[in-house]
Amino acid sequence: MEHMIDIAPDIRLWVEESGDRTAPPLLLIMGANASGLAWPEPFVEALGRHHRVIRYDHRDTGRSTEIFGERPYAITDLARDAVAVLDALEVDRAHVVGMSMGGMLTQLLLLDHPDRVLTATFIGTTPLGGIPFEAPGFPPEFLALWEEMGAARDREAEIDWRVRHWELLHNDPGDGVGIPFDPEEFRRLEERIITHTGRHRAPVAHAAAGTDGLDRGPELAAVTVPALVIDSPNDPLAGSSCAHALAGAPGNARLVTIPGMGHALPGAVLPRLAELVLGHTSPPEERRR
């Protein structure tokens, strides 16, 4: 079921509900400049067998309102959007799974709205105010590609750019071979996102969004909500060092490694990832077993 939800004056978000509507809610929060459709369908379907799955397009992505050019905002505003989605769907508490920037937003939810979060799962996430991205350590082609972000391209050239971006995110060359990259898998993903969005111009607003209010890492020590941190050792942005730092921040966190995983969600990791998330979101007595 799809919705268009008004979360602020002149700002509407595309939201989708799927899965078992009678089961505990699970909110998926995607990363920067990414539509909710970046969550792979097999992963969403696997979670939906045990949860009411909610995913959405951040503002300035997908079918949600483009507003940054007229009304710039901060990353913290995107965290408030997540709460607004829960409010609009009358969800008191939800399991929350955040990818990349979505994991940063999940940390903000744990700090400001712990009563709304049943469990938290982090994928490819840096701790708030913690380990910064070390740009000099990135391959030169990575930095060159980012300089082209938002450039005018036709549809096919834009898809080519996005697939190349996924390829670099998929595996850190310094950490070994990792999981083989299938360009056609990510080409199909981006074609689907572009069809959903109705335009092929790349979203870039979140790269320019304000970062005030994110230096709150020490506050995570007081968090008692059960947290699962996925260690993606081949991730060039938020690899094992970030995962270990994040797992050591909240008071009730567990770290699990998916060997070969990078900063992407290829089909090869989805069964294990779904298994881990569903194990984490199961009732406490089942988690103990």
Side-chain angles (χ1 to χ4, degrees):
M1 180 182 298
E2 298 182 15
H3 312 273
M4 293 301 297
I5 293 176
D6 295 304
I7 54 97
D10 303 322
I11 300 178
R12 308 186 80 196
L13 301 184
W14 175 87
V15 180
E16 179 195 71
E17 297 180 85
S18 62
D20 184 350
R21 292 294 300 276
T22 67
L26 186 150
L27 179 67
L28 295 172
I29 308 180
M30 194 22 88
N33 298 316
S35 160
L37 261 66
W39 292 105
E41 294 305 305
F43 181 64
V44 175
E45 291 170 4
L47 298 181
R49 288 192 278 273
H50 301 272
H51 289 286
R52 172 189 177 190
V53 179
I54 303 164
R55 60 177 169 174
Y56 66 100
D57 290 338
H58 295 293
R59 58 175 82 179
D60 286 284
T61 74
R63 295 182 185 173
S64 294
T65 301
E66 290 187 272
I67 195 69
F68 190 83
E70 302 173 11
R71 195 188 310 166
Y73 50 81
I75 298 296
T76 51
D77 291 311
L78 299 178
R80 285 187 277 271
D81 288 354
V83 176
V85 168
L86 296 180
D87 289 343
L89 298 181
E90 299 182 343
V91 173
D92 292 331
R93 302 182 73 195
H95 301 280
V96 182
V97 179
M99 170 79 181
S100 192
M101 183 195 73
M104 298 176 69
L105 304 185
T106 302
Q107 292 173 68
L108 292 173
L109 294 186
L110 288 176
L111 294 178
D112 297 330
H113 303 278
D115 57 316
R116 308 296 298 271
V117 184
L118 291 166
T119 67
T121 300
F122 302 97
I123 306 168
T125 302
T126 57
L128 290 177
I131 300 173
F133 295 160
E134 297 181 359
F138 293 152
E141 60 268 28
F142 210 144
L143 301 178
L145 200 66
W146 277 355
E147 289 179 1
E148 299 171 1
M149 185 183 298
R153 289 180 282 266
D154 63 27
R155 187 179 187 277
E156 288 307 308
E158 175 62 26
I159 292 175
D160 289 343
W161 186 93
R162 296 187 191 188
V163 171
R164 176 58 178 154
H165 192 220
W166 279 121
E167 183 177 13
L168 294 178
L169 291 171
H170 185 84
N171 180 43
D172 182 352
D175 286 338
V177 176
I179 296 169
F181 179 71
D182 179 1
E184 292 307 312
E185 176 183 5
F186 286 89
R187 183 174 297 276
R188 289 191 296 270
L189 171 67
E190 289 300 339
E191 287 175 343
R192 187 165 178 268
I193 290 173
I194 286 173
T195 299
H196 163 76
T197 303
R199 60 185 181 277
H200 69 268
R201 174 169 41 82
V204 297
H206 301 163
T211 57
D212 289 347
L214 297 183
D215 191 14
R216 300 178 61 186
E219 297 177 47
L220 291 169
V223 171
T224 58
V225 174
L228 171 65
V229 179
I230 302 298
D231 172 19
S232 45
N234 284 65
D235 186 336
L237 300 187
S240 293
S241 58
C242 287
H244 282 265
L246 180 56
N252 191 9
R254 183 167 64 102
L255 178 73
V256 179
T257 299
I258 298 183
M261 184 174 176
H263 201 77
L265 300 175
V269 307
L270 299 183
R272 178 59 173 154
L273 184 60
E275 176 187 33
L276 289 171
V277 172
L278 291 173
H280 182 57
T281 61
S282 61
E285 59 274 14
E286 293 186 22
R287 288 204 300 271
R288 284 193 293 271
R289 286 202 296 272

